């Protein structure tokens, strides 16, 4: 499928401080991408460079086959055919829903403008609110208006900057799914910026985990969780602990809990016969360790966090190591209790042994 957005080795700095470091990514037509990372990692700056609100010192940005900026050329934002949804929605308070949505359609005929506004009002489910003003709308409704306004001119690319951050958790989760459905229905190529993993997983087809101005891994949510390329991604995505292990063959790793087979080699750790007896760190996720009443392998409950259907237990093993286990909440064990556990790891990721 043809690429719509390309960032090729872009670099951006501010007062001699590197913000973006030779960042590269590619987004295909109709895909929804996401830049995910902690505060200060540079993800919003990348979005602003794509939009044209910030310049780059080197590299190149291409949208729909057209170069929009490099070190020697800069195309203003209004000529990039980009729509944008801001964190605070930025609706015009003196315009009603219909007029807010139609704001960017001034060059169209009245009939075309009316048709497009009516189409989008129906798509975002605000037919009954078309004459209301922003202060008369809920946060979720305002977000829908902002999305419809950005989609109205049919941009080549839609940028969304933390669009759900002002909403409560339950509304955020529901609207993130609805926004994905709308974007897919409109065949819109989009890129989202967020620090919320659940939001990223709900909306995006492909996600770039960012840290200190660089993309650590540009991949699907599944691969980020099960095949992280480095320790930062492994620790940032989901939950997990590292336990020491040792190769007993090229396809088997021994850890305190047992033998794990067919490991995924991360951080340039290459699969070869030379790995035998090599010390490594093994990533264990909470779902890799399950409760077993009949198991002789015991662990001490040292902490627990109720999650509704499940309880996240922090367990201490006999050798002093701690691991996490996600267990159905009808198994309600007390802190200080010993429980039976067993390995159920289908995806095993090994890392170079961390130097101390």
């Amino acid at each position: 499928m043809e690429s719509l957005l390309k960032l090729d080795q872009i670099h951006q700095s501010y007062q001699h401080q590197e913000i973006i470091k030779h960042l590269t990514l590619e987004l295909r037509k109709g895909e929804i991408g996401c830049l995910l990372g902690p505060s200060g990692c540079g993800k919003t700056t990348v979005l602003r460079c794509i939009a044209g609100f910030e310049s780059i010192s080197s590299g190149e940005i291409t949208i729909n086959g057209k170069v929009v900026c490099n070190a020697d050329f800069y195309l203003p934002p209004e000529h990039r055919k980009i729509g944008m949804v801001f964190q605070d929605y930025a609706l015009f308070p003196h315009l009603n829903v219909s007029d807010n949505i139609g704001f960017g359609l001034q060059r169209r005929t009245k009939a075309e403008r009316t048709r497009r506004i009516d189409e989008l009002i129906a798509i975002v489910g605000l037919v009954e609110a078309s004459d209301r003003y922003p202060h008369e709308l809920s946060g979720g409704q305002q977000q829908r208006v902002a999305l419809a306004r950005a989609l109205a001119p049919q941009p080549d690319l839609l940028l969304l900057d933390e669009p759900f951050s002002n909403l409560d958790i339950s509304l955020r989760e529901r609207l993130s799914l609805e926004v994905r459905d709308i974007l897919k229905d409109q065949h819109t190529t989009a890129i989202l910026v967020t620090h919320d993993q659940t939001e990223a997983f709900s909306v995006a087809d492909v996600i770039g985990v960012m840290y200190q101005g660089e993309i650590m891994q540009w991949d699907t949510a599944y691969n980020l969780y099960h095949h992280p390329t480095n320790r930062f991604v492994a620790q940032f995505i989901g939950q997990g602990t590292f336990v020491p292990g040792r190769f007993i063959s090229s396809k088997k790793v021994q850890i305190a809990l047992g033998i794990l087979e067919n490991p995924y080699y991360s951080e340039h750790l290459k699969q070869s016969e030379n790995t035998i007896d090599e010390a490594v760190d093994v990533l264990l996720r909470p779902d890799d360790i399950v409760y077993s009443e009949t198991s002789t392998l015991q662990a001490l409950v040292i902490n627990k966090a109720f999650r509704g259907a499940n309880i996240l237990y922090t367990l201490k093993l006999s050798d002093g190591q701690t691991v996490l286990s996600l267990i159905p909440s009808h198994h309600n064990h007390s802190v200080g209790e010993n429980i039976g556990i067993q390995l159920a790891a289908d995806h095993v990721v090994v890392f170079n042994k961390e130097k101390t």
Side-chain angles (χ1 to χ4, degrees):
M1 190 179 295
E2 186 180 353
S3 293
L4 186 131
L5 173 68
K6 286 185 181 180
L7 275 60
D8 185 15
Q9 294 288 316
I10 70 165
H11 186 274
Q12 202 257 15
S13 58
Y14 178 72
Q15 293 184 345
H16 306 294
Q17 180 182 358
E18 288 186 313
I19 308 298
I20 306 299
K21 303 173 185 176
H22 306 292
L23 184 144
T24 296
L25 66 82
E26 192 168 332
L27 195 64
R28 296 177 294 181
K29 284 187 176 181
E31 270 190 329
I32 302 172
C34 176
L35 296 175
L36 172 67
S39 298
C41 70
K43 55 188 184 294
T44 295
T45 301
V46 174
L47 207 71
R48 291 176 62 81
C49 289
I50 295 170
F53 301 148
E54 305 245 3
S55 59
I56 58 176
S57 53
S58 64
E60 187 171 85
I61 299 177
T62 305
I63 299 175
N64 211 9
K66 181 179 180 180
V67 175
V68 296
C69 67
N70 54 35
D72 303 312
F73 174 74
Y74 169 81
L75 187 69
E78 62 270 22
H79 299 305
R80 296 193 182 192
K81 295 192 71 175
I82 286 176
M84 191 152 187
V85 178
F86 297 94
Q87 185 174 350
D88 60 358
Y89 315 133
L91 299 178
F92 299 108
H94 62 290
L95 300 180
N96 64 22
V97 168
S98 294
D99 290 338
N100 259 288
I101 293 173
F103 183 79
L105 302 176
Q106 305 296 342
R107 295 184 179 181
R108 301 196 183 188
T109 66
K110 185 176 180 180
E112 290 174 336
R113 189 168 179 268
T114 300
R115 190 183 312 114
R116 181 63 174 160
I117 291 170
D118 290 345
E119 177 188 12
L120 284 165
I121 284 176
I123 287 171
V124 299
L126 291 174
V127 173
E128 295 180 358
S130 61
D131 293 327
R132 295 181 190 170
Y133 290 84
H135 71 274
E136 300 175 305
L137 304 175
S138 67
Q141 289 174 322
Q142 289 183 46
Q143 193 247 25
R144 292 166 192 257
V145 176
L147 177 63
R149 185 181 63 183
L151 289 172
Q154 297 172 302
D156 288 339
L157 178 67
L158 182 67
L159 306 178
L160 302 103
D161 186 11
E162 302 263 11
F164 310 107
S165 61
N166 292 331
L167 306 175
D168 62 64
I169 293 176
S170 59
L171 183 58
R172 187 186 310 167
E173 291 178 353
R174 179 167 59 82
L175 279 178
S176 63
L177 294 173
E178 292 179 6
V179 166
R180 176 179 168 83
D181 288 342
I182 290 169
L183 295 179
K184 287 299 182 181
D185 181 68
Q186 296 291 294
H187 307 290
T188 301
T189 308
I191 190 160
L192 163 78
V193 159
T194 185
H195 62 272
D196 187 304
Q197 294 180 35
T198 302
E199 191 175 298
F201 295 166
S202 298
V203 178
D205 301 308
V206 61
I207 300 164
V209 177
M210 285 193 65
Y211 179 63
Q212 294 184 343
E214 300 180 73
I215 289 183
M216 299 286 102
Q217 187 171 350
W218 178 254
D219 217 327
T220 62
Y222 181 92
N223 285 339
L224 292 174
Y225 187 84
H226 291 295
H227 297 154
T229 59
N230 58 42
R231 284 175 181 270
F232 178 81
V233 176
Q235 291 173 315
F236 186 77
I237 297 295
Q239 293 176 296
T241 52
F242 293 99
V243 298
R246 189 172 297 277
F247 278 102
I248 58 175
S249 78
S250 61
K251 294 184 181 295
K252 293 183 179 181
V253 180
Q254 176 80 56
I255 63 173
L257 293 171
I259 295 174
L260 299 168
E261 298 187 4
N262 299 315
Y264 172 77
Y265 293 72
S266 189
E267 281 189 332
H268 312 296
L269 188 64
K270 300 301 182 184
Q271 182 175 353
S272 70
E273 292 303 321
N274 295 330
T275 60
I276 295 176
D277 208 36
E278 181 179 348
V280 292
D281 287 331
V282 180
L283 174 65
L284 290 182
R285 298 292 194 187
D287 51 329
D288 290 333
I289 299 172
V290 299
Y291 173 71
S292 173
E293 292 181 351
T294 59
S295 176
T296 57
L297 187 62
Q298 298 284 302
L300 177 69
V301 177
I302 60 174
N303 205 344
K304 59 188 290 190
F306 188 75
R307 299 287 177 84
N310 300 289
I311 298 175
L312 182 66
Y313 288 95
T314 304
L315 306 174
K316 179 184 273 190
L317 306 180
S318 58
D319 63 357
Q321 297 175 47
T322 58
V323 294
L324 300 174
S325 180
L326 198 61
I327 298 174
S329 61
H330 58 270
H331 296 293
N332 187 20
H333 302 287
S334 302
V335 172
E337 182 181 348
N338 281 294
I339 63 172
I341 58 171
Q342 66 182 33
L343 276 174
D346 293 327
H347 298 85
V348 182
V349 187
V350 293
F351 295 81
N352 291 314
K353 187 70 177 175
E354 190 170 43
K355 296 178 181 180
T356 56

